[in-house]
Amino acid sequence: MEFLADYGLFLAKAITVVVTIGLIIGLIVSAGQKGEPGKLKVEKLNEKLNKVKQRLESELLDKKALKEKAKALKKSAKKEKSEEATKKARVIVLDFKGDIKASASQQLREEITTILSLEEEIDEVVVRLESAGGMVHEYGFAASQLDRIRARGIPLTIAVDKVAASGGYMMAVVADRIIAAPFAVIGSIGVVAQLPNFHRLLKKHDIDVEMHTAGEYKRTLTVLGENTDKAREKFKEDLQDVHVLFKDYINSHRPNVDIEKVSNGDVWFGQRAIDQNLIDEIMTSDEYLQSKCSDADVFSISLKKKKSIKEKFSGDAESMLSRVVQNTIERLMHNKWFV
């Protein structure tokens, strides 16, 4: 028994040392990665389309047709070399897939900074946007990043294949041109905020909750305390004010929209969205970019940051349920507005 006790104590010490060393190494590596720039991935869509096309032709065409095709390609290559003095337009493609927190905003921010740092002229930026909205301040920030492109005088096109609603549409209206797939969801110009109140449940079990604030409106509605009519009125007043700001933002970028008609929180699909002047044309992003490849060099870029050891471990350990709970708690505790 004495031997087992000594062995157990030794094992516990060994595990403690190993874990401590592991944590120290992890912190050192993580600290070293914080300042590292992300990895920039650049893909020329013209070349990608040509490779796919050539692969398909090699399967479909007979030998004679392939030889003729090869000759035609050589002639085309010579022609392109002779026309090198004529500069082709450059189109940059970005992707934004939004969640409630608009988490992709930071990546979008850095990608746009990279684009605007180029000395070469950019003829157009296309953003493939997909978002059903989320927190007002997060999507306001994302929209302000797109405004940087417009401020530099670079034409901006937003392509919506699935959804650009609420905060997603707030981003989309910044563009010079909005295209959308036939059944893409567009609109939802409204603001929502909801939270449960556990005051009666706590009171039933004789649990008191105290909250002290400095400033009359530091907190209006609460999750745990007793809510008053005055707090509710202030809450609604703030909600309406955010809605007015949202409508003004839409109207300033798309003045041809009947803002009072479309700002009731409703959504429109494809052609119906055109009828309301919410978008400019029915077209998928694939169709639009393929047409651009015929007379421009089209580059898709994305900036991916390396994850720290902490982020990798937390990402593996965190379940979908825990993420949902975390987002729900954040909603409940901070009275945040959502668009």
Side-chain angles (χ1 to χ4, degrees), residues 1 12 38 77 123 125 143 179 208 211 213 264:
M1 290 297 294
D123 297 278
V125 173
I179 63 172
D208 294 325
M211 179 175 66
T213 62
N264 59 1

Coordinates of all heavy atoms in Angstrom, one line a residue, residues 1 12 38 77 123 125 143 179 208 211 213 264:
M1 N 0.8 -1.2 0.0 CA 0.0 0.0 0.0 C 0.9 1.3 0.0 O 0.6 2.2 -0.7 CB -0.9 0.0 1.2 CG -2.0 -1.1 1.2 SD -3.2 -0.8 -0.2 CE -3.9 0.7 0.3
A12 N 1.2 11.8 -10.1 CA 0.5 13.0 -10.0 C 1.5 14.2 -10.3 O 1.2 15.1 -11.0 CB -0.2 13.2 -8.7
G38 N -1.8 37.0 -41.9 CA -2.5 35.9 -42.4 C -2.0 35.4 -43.7 O -1.2 36.1 -44.4
A77 N -2.9 32.5 -78.3 CA -1.8 32.9 -77.4 C -0.9 33.9 -78.0 O -0.5 34.9 -77.4 CB -1.0 31.6 -77.0
D123 N -10.0 47.7 -61.3 CA -11.2 48.2 -62.0 C -12.5 47.9 -61.4 O -13.5 48.5 -61.7 CB -11.1 47.6 -63.5 CG -9.9 48.1 -64.2 OD1 -9.9 49.2 -64.7 OD2 -8.9 47.4 -64.2
V125 N -14.4 45.6 -57.7 CA -14.4 44.6 -56.6 C -15.7 44.0 -56.6 O -16.8 44.7 -56.6 CB -14.0 45.2 -55.3 CG1 -14.2 44.2 -54.1 CG2 -12.6 45.8 -55.3
A143 N -20.3 47.0 -43.0 CA -20.7 47.9 -44.1 C -19.7 49.0 -44.3 O -19.4 49.4 -45.4 CB -22.1 48.4 -43.8
I179 N -26.5 42.4 -57.7 CA -27.1 41.3 -58.5 C -27.5 40.2 -57.5 O -26.9 40.0 -56.5 CB -26.2 40.8 -59.6 CG1 -24.9 40.2 -59.0 CG2 -25.8 41.9 -60.5 CD1 -24.0 39.5 -60.0
D208 N -33.8 37.2 -4.4 CA -33.7 38.6 -4.7 C -32.6 38.9 -5.7 O -31.5 38.3 -5.5 CB -33.6 39.5 -3.5 CG -34.8 39.4 -2.6 OD1 -35.9 39.3 -3.1 OD2 -34.6 39.4 -1.3
M211 N -29.7 45.2 -8.7 CA -28.9 45.8 -9.8 C -28.8 47.3 -9.5 O -29.8 48.0 -9.3 CB -29.5 45.6 -11.2 CG -28.7 46.2 -12.3 SD -29.4 45.8 -13.9 CE -31.0 46.6 -13.8
T213 N -27.2 51.0 -10.9 CA -26.7 51.7 -12.0 C -26.4 53.2 -11.7 O -27.1 53.8 -10.9 CB -27.6 51.7 -13.3 OG1 -28.8 52.3 -12.9 CG2 -27.9 50.2 -13.6
N264 N -40.6 47.5 -43.5 CA -41.5 46.8 -42.5 C -41.1 45.5 -42.1 O -41.8 44.7 -41.4 CB -43.0 46.7 -43.1 CG -43.0 45.9 -44.4 OD1 -41.9 45.4 -44.9 ND2 -44.1 45.7 -45.0

